[in-house]
Amino acid sequence: MFEMLGNWSFGNYFKQEAIQWSYEFLVTTLHLNPDRLYATVFEGDAKENVPKDEESFQLWSALLPASHILTGNKKDNFWEMGDTGPCGPCTEIHYDMRTDAERLITNGATLVNKDHPQVIEIWNNVFIQFNRLANGSLEPLPAKHVDTGMGLERLVRAIQGKSSNYDTDLFTPIIAEVERLTGIEYGKDEKTDIACRVLADHIRSIVFTIADGQLPSNTGAGYVIRRILRRAVRYAYSYLHYKEPILHNLVPILVMQFDELYPELTEQQAFITKVIWQEESSFLRTLESGLRKFGQIEDQLKTSGKTDIDGQSAFELYDTFGFPIDLTRLIAAEKGLTINETGFAQAMQEQKDRARQAAKIDTGDWVTVSASALAGEFVGYDTLQTVTQMVKYRQITQKGKTQYQIVLETTPFYAESGGQVGDKGFLYFGDDKIEVLDTKKENNLIVHFTNALPPDVTVPCHAVVNELLRHNTTLNHTATHLLHAALRQKLGTHVVQKGSLVNPDYLRFDFSHFAKVTDEELRAIEEQVNDKIRQNIRLQEMRNIPIKEAMNMGAMALFGEKYGDYVRVIVFDPDYSIELCGGTHVDATGKIGLCKITAETSIAAGVRRIEAITGSAAYQMVAQEWDQTRHLRHLLNNPKDLAAGIQNLLAENERLRKEIEHLHTEQAVQLKNNLKTKAVTLPNGINFLGEHLTGNLTADMVKKIAYDLKNEMPNLFLVLGATIDDKAHLTLMLADELVQNHQLNAGTLIRTLAKHIQGGGGGQPFYATAGGKHPQGIAAAIEEARLVVSG
RNA sequence: GGGGGAUUAGCUCAGCUGGCUAGAGCAUUAGCUUUGCAAGCUAAGGGUCAUCGGUUCGACUCCGAUAUCCUCCA
């Protein structure tokens, strides 16, 4: 994990400047020794039909001696984003940090890209100049770009002349704190040293990513944080023997280190600490349950006399219980056990293949219909339909389903962004009507998703947005702004947006706040929002104003969100709500009608979620609730206090339930006592009792009678018949002595008896039941039982 | 988005291949013990076994759907 420094150029400058400036920065500004610098350039690849990067080679030749310019293969010196898309050669800058004595013995050029710990790559300049098509061929890009990436830690190490990244002052304060907390001294033992470094390194990634607005989760970027955090906890757990949350204790050091450069850390310190603590704690719980599972696996091995944990079990531990595989290895080794690594790898591969199969998308090349400078211009703020022209389209296939992506010259369709979902609607090409299922942005291009293409893609296109859906979405978006402002007013300015969803049905707003929002606060917030709705505040929309100006107005921007130089500002009362926003809004707040908060929940440590509905949806809900309450009142004969009335009802119901249970028990006891007197002692000493019970009985009552009789009468052979729910029911209960001494088995016996009632049954040797559809046969069944035991 | 797993008393969890009248520890309450406390002993209360449906003579256990949570992969 390292911090990458760099900057992009989109057509502003290319190889000449990038290389020149790289050299200047390292040698003139940072005073690195040019004798120790090496550059690599792409050697070319005949198979791919890409030539050597001669241009970069020439440029470097003006700066470095030939012996310091090396060529590299496709793996090291060619960058690709994926199977298709932009790509190009790159040039790396390496730095030789060995001592002069060592440098005399071995030529540094032979150590570049050889994983030598002291000859390290510090900078990579990628020159994006090709576009790879689906058929594998390359075409030159009209505009060429530069993407530079420099490792901060390695650069600092080169400047400070340290032999390891971890000896630079980026890490030493954190490692010192780990030493203080764990009481383990750094530099004494390779194993604990590695653990200290892992902690120091990972905590930086975690803190910065959370400050950037990411939270640990089970998907996407959030999952990456979760994994990094867990790796750190695992190292502390198994090597530093620290079994409690530790990472959150390191936050203050980082905050101090970066206070000047990143005030965001200071501002969010409490929040970041809480999130980390929560995540650590929950992972430690996961580890605990994993250890339990491990114990079970261990027991099974012991009883079967094996010492090899099969791959499936190891994988289950990892996959289902989240127990890290290297921890399994470690613990297994401690207990003298081994893991079937092949089996584990295989199970892992199967899972990966499954996921890949499910996510596989086949993307075709764009087909250009008409060249247009306007491609994808959004006109949807002002109109919901327009006549335009298709610019290009392509076909994509996922899980056997084919869809099309269409780009128009101008479009009224809003593409999913800023939490607001994409528009739906129709595209009319002459008489052909194509449904737009969704609209998304791709590389700043508005892309319409459809299931079909028109027969003629060149005819003019009449693009029409679904007005009702857009209208409802718009209400929800404006309500979101009003809500955001209300939250900050009522709860405090620590409230920061952490996520937002705006669709036609409802709005969802996630924000940082430490406690549950109380019912009173929620009510106050809702009132505030509705107050602003009734004030019918007019929208002030400013398109394309410089970001500086917007910020001076006090507009709320999201940290971690990228904004262009020019932004759109949405204002509802300059003293109330000013936000940078690309979404669609009502022209006056009164149109929202009503906003009703429907839920307040927690979604992560320190993050709350509010859901709300507006407009007719809100009215419908209120009306329904009203009807329902009226109905309830009516049912209870209009009590003064509805809640109390229901509570009484519930209590009464519970009391009656218990009373019935009690009566059933009593009835059963009585029935049992009556039955006792009807038992006959047979010549062979068996106390036989066979009865056809009548009356209103439940299966549970019969069961209780049988068990009670067994406890009270020795040598009992009990057979009971009953009719329950119009079905015949037989119960057989045998004293333990009979089962043991007379080899009787209730389970097998009842199957014979069940024939009389045309049914089947079974059970244990001393107790069995049977059911059938012929109640008239019960007497015969009891009679047969008597014969069996008399026999 | 695709797998796997979990959901049983207030809490932490047992309950194997359907049938031992749903259990343990902690917590609660009462009694005993103790000068008092900590603790100990004895007993009691507390469960729609997540929800809904199905299979079966019989479902905590098997099957399906739903909900919530955990976890892995992308």
Side-chain angles (χ1 to χ4, degrees):
Chain A
M1 210 58 50
F2 61 92
E3 183 161 349
M4 189 139 91
L5 308 172
N7 58 301
W8 282 80
S9 156
F10 293 102
N12 295 328
Y13 62 87
F14 203 51
K15 294 181 185 177
Q16 158 90 51
E17 296 86 345
I19 289 173
Q20 177 72 35
W21 291 343
S22 295
Y23 183 86
E24 271 178 29
F25 181 66
L26 293 176
V27 175
T28 316
T29 311
L30 299 179
H31 307 294
L32 294 187
N33 182 353
D35 286 352
R36 292 171 176 265
L37 283 180
Y38 291 87
T40 67
V41 298
F42 184 48
E43 66 189 0
D45 192 321
K47 205 168 65 196
E48 298 273 347
N49 204 19
V50 198
K52 178 182 174 184
D53 187 5
E54 192 61 46
E55 195 183 349
S56 294
F57 190 85
Q58 292 304 329
L59 289 165
W60 275 119
S61 299
L63 302 164
L64 292 173
S67 62
H68 281 234
I69 306 169
L70 313 165
T71 56
N73 57 20
K74 191 169 171 236
K75 180 177 147 284
D76 285 327
N77 284 84
F78 196 84
W79 176 87
E80 290 174 297
M81 190 168 64
D83 294 342
T84 60
C87 56
C90 54
T91 177
E92 302 169 342
I93 303 169
H94 295 254
Y95 198 65
D96 184 351
M97 298 192 52
R98 293 172 304 151
T99 60
D100 288 335
E102 282 174 298
R103 289 171 64 216
L104 277 176
I105 299 167
T106 315
N107 180 1
T110 62
L111 299 174
V112 168
N113 268 335
K114 292 286 185 287
D115 288 329
H116 190 284
Q118 301 298 325
V119 182
I120 53 175
E121 176 187 346
I122 54 176
W123 202 341
N124 191 0
N125 280 298
V126 178
F127 302 121
I128 302 163
Q129 62 186 101
F130 301 114
N131 181 33
R132 191 182 289 282
L133 301 176
N135 66 14
S137 65
L138 295 174
E139 62 176 15
L141 282 172
K144 297 177 172 47
H145 313 303
V146 180
D147 177 13
T148 70
M150 176 162 50
L152 170 71
E153 291 78 6
R154 288 179 172 189
L155 186 71
V156 172
R157 181 178 146 196
I159 296 168
Q160 297 183 350
K162 302 288 187 185
S163 59
S164 153
N165 289 354
Y166 298 98
D167 294 337
T168 64
D169 60 10
L170 288 170
F171 292 103
T172 46
I174 309 176
I175 291 176
E177 180 67 5
V178 174
E179 285 182 291
R180 196 182 69 77
L181 287 169
T182 60
I184 285 171
E185 211 176 323
Y186 184 71
K188 292 285 172 196
D189 177 15
E190 183 62 15
K191 271 189 180 164
T192 54
D193 284 359
I194 291 175
C196 288
R197 285 182 225 140
V198 166
L199 256 64
D201 175 277
H202 288 14
I203 187 68
R204 296 177 72 236
S205 318
I206 296 162
V207 167
F208 276 95
T209 319
I210 294 174
D212 244 0
Q214 267 311 330
L215 289 169
S217 78
N218 62 344
T219 54
Y223 185 50
V224 176
I225 311 187
R226 174 165 283 175
R227 279 175 38 173
I228 295 171
L229 187 141
R230 291 182 167 194
R231 199 172 120 92
V233 172
R234 213 166 75 227
Y235 270 85
Y237 184 89
S238 36
Y239 295 107
L240 305 179
H241 306 292
Y242 204 85
K243 320 256 161 173
E244 283 159 53
I246 184 172
L247 291 171
H248 67 283
N249 290 322
L250 302 175
V251 176
I253 304 281
L254 269 168
V255 169
M256 261 157 51
Q257 265 185 313
F258 291 99
D259 186 34
E260 273 177 52
L261 290 164
Y262 295 95
E264 296 89 348
L265 294 192
T266 316
E267 283 162 24
Q268 299 192 55
Q269 179 170 357
F271 174 73
I272 295 168
T273 307
K274 180 155 182 171
V275 169
I276 293 178
W277 179 82
Q278 169 97 23
E279 183 71 16
E280 287 189 274
S281 308
S282 86
F283 182 54
L284 286 168
R285 274 200 299 277
T286 298
L287 283 184
E288 227 171 86
S289 65
L291 279 174
R292 260 203 303 277
K293 184 74 190 169
F294 188 95
Q296 284 173 14
I297 294 173
E298 195 189 347
D299 288 347
Q300 276 170 19
L301 285 178
K302 236 177 230 164
T303 51
S304 58
K306 288 181 197 155
T307 58
D308 191 49
I309 300 172
D310 64 293
Q312 200 55 49
S313 295
F315 185 70
E316 191 193 351
L317 207 51
Y318 168 74
D319 179 63
T320 302
F321 296 90
F323 207 67
I325 183 64
D326 47 5
L327 203 52
T328 307
R329 278 192 201 110
L330 202 73
I331 298 173
E334 279 169 8
K335 308 204 176 206
L337 303 172
T338 53
I339 294 173
N340 184 332
E341 298 281 350
T342 330
F344 178 82
Q346 194 186 336
M348 188 76 177
Q349 193 55 45
E350 279 168 19
Q351 154 133 270
K352 284 189 178 176
D353 289 344
R354 246 198 324 267
R356 199 163 298 140
Q357 201 55 40
K360 200 177 168 198
I361 307 181
D362 211 0
T363 311
D365 290 327
W366 284 108
V367 178
T368 305
V369 177
S370 73
S372 168
L374 284 176
E377 198 195 13
F378 182 61
V379 295
Y381 290 137
D382 306 307
T383 177
L384 291 183
Q385 46 181 297
T386 190
V387 175
T388 179
Q389 185 74 39
M390 195 190 293
V391 173
K392 58 181 181 177
Y393 69 86
R394 72 176 172 187
Q395 181 180 328
I396 54 170
T397 309
Q398 184 174 18
K399 279 194 269 182
K401 271 197 203 159
T402 298
Q403 283 201 327
Y404 297 91
Q405 300 183 340
I406 295 174
V407 174
L408 303 172
E409 203 170 79
T410 58
T411 178
F413 282 80
Y414 182 83
E416 178 183 319
S417 160
Q420 180 175 338
V421 298
D423 278 332
K424 296 179 185 192
F426 291 97
L427 302 179
Y428 298 88
F429 294 86
D431 292 335
D432 296 300
K433 180 176 168 186
I434 310 266
E435 186 175 2
V436 176
L437 306 162
D438 198 1
T439 311
K440 291 185 182 183
K441 251 184 208 168
E442 197 174 295
N443 296 326
N444 255 351
L445 220 53
I446 297 174
V447 181
H448 307 77
F449 286 70
T450 68
N451 274 336
L453 280 179
D456 184 356
V457 294
T458 60
V459 299
C461 168
H462 185 200
V464 183
V465 171
N466 182 321
E467 202 177 325
L468 180 64
L469 294 180
R470 163 69 89 79
H471 176 74
N472 290 339
T473 305
T474 295
L475 297 188
N476 283 332
H477 203 150
T478 301
T480 301
H481 283 210
L482 299 182
L483 177 67
H484 189 181
L487 284 168
R488 288 175 67 93
Q489 265 190 18
K490 301 288 175 193
L491 299 180
T493 49
H494 64 277
V495 167
V496 173
Q497 176 173 342
K498 289 287 169 194
S500 165
L501 173 72
V502 179
N503 68 26
D505 301 321
Y506 70 108
L507 67 95
R508 203 173 72 192
F509 190 76
D510 302 339
F511 57 98
S512 53
H513 183 61
F514 287 115
K516 179 173 171 57
V517 183
T518 65
D519 288 347
E520 292 75 31
E521 288 168 331
L522 223 47
R523 174 53 57 89
I525 290 158
E526 193 180 87
E527 267 180 23
Q528 167 89 287
V529 171
N530 282 293
D531 214 34
K532 294 293 170 186
I533 291 172
R534 284 189 301 271
Q535 285 172 22
N536 201 24
I537 305 164
R538 296 201 70 77
L539 161 72
Q540 284 175 267
E541 178 197 6
M542 281 162 268
R543 292 182 200 170
N544 281 317
I545 75 162
I547 186 153
K548 265 216 166 126
E549 200 177 309
M551 299 312 279
N552 286 341
M553 289 167 59
M556 250 185 298
L558 299 182
F559 179 61
E561 190 80 15
K562 302 285 175 282
Y563 296 101
D565 293 338
Y566 288 87
V567 293
R568 179 163 174 266
V569 179
I570 294 297
V571 180
F572 287 100
D573 180 353
D575 293 327
Y576 186 65
S577 166
I578 309 175
E579 293 199 39
L580 302 187
C581 178
T584 61
H585 289 274
V586 295
D587 48 22
T589 58
K591 282 200 175 160
I592 297 170
L594 174 67
C595 175
K596 188 86 194 106
I597 294 175
T598 53
E600 194 273 344
T601 50
S602 157
I603 57 161
V607 183
R608 312 293 307 181
R609 164 172 293 173
I610 280 185
E611 291 175 38
I613 52 179
T614 60
S616 68
Y619 169 75
Q620 290 297 338
M621 197 201 78
V622 171
Q624 265 175 28
E625 290 289 321
W626 172 266
D627 287 349
Q628 196 160 42
T629 314
R630 221 171 47 150
H631 190 196
L632 286 178
R633 282 185 184 285
H634 191 70
L635 284 175
L636 291 175
N637 286 327
N638 296 316
K640 273 196 188 111
D641 186 342
L642 183 59
I646 292 175
Q647 243 160 19
N648 284 341
L649 210 58
L650 286 174
E652 178 72 0
N653 188 41
E654 176 70 10
R655 196 182 64 74
L656 291 174
R657 194 180 66 83
K658 291 227 162 130
E659 194 169 310
I660 289 175
E661 204 174 292
H662 186 72
L663 286 174
H664 272 170
T665 313
E666 230 168 47
Q667 209 182 339
V669 168
Q670 218 164 38
L671 213 50
K672 176 204 73 185
N673 287 335
N674 283 342
L675 281 172
K676 253 169 123 173
T677 60
K678 297 187 181 167
V680 264
T681 308
L682 300 175
N684 54 14
I686 294 175
N687 284 319
F688 178 81
L689 180 48
E691 272 296 311
H692 186 170
L693 300 175
T694 53
N696 208 0
L697 292 164
T698 67
D700 272 346
M701 280 167 73
V702 177
K703 191 174 187 178
K704 175 157 176 54
I705 292 170
Y707 270 92
D708 283 354
L709 283 170
K710 173 175 185 265
N711 287 335
E712 293 174 25
M713 296 178 71
N715 271 339
L716 176 73
F717 186 111
L718 173 73
V719 53
L720 293 174
T723 310
I724 298 167
D725 292 338
D726 294 333
K727 277 199 206 158
H729 191 260
L730 286 176
T731 302
L732 198 55
M733 176 66 85
L734 307 182
D736 296 338
E737 305 94 82
L738 297 187
V739 176
Q740 276 158 24
N741 302 337
H742 291 74
Q743 317 251 298
L744 288 172
N745 186 313
T748 46
L749 194 52
I750 198 122
R751 270 188 274 274
T752 323
L753 303 183
K755 281 177 189 149
H756 293 287
I757 55 167
Q758 297 175 15
Q764 301 136 275
F766 73 97
Y767 171 79
T769 55
K773 51 193 171 187
H774 187 60
Q776 291 79 4
I778 290 178
I782 295 175
E783 197 44 44
E784 180 170 354
R786 185 198 300 277
L787 287 174
V788 167
V789 0
S790 308

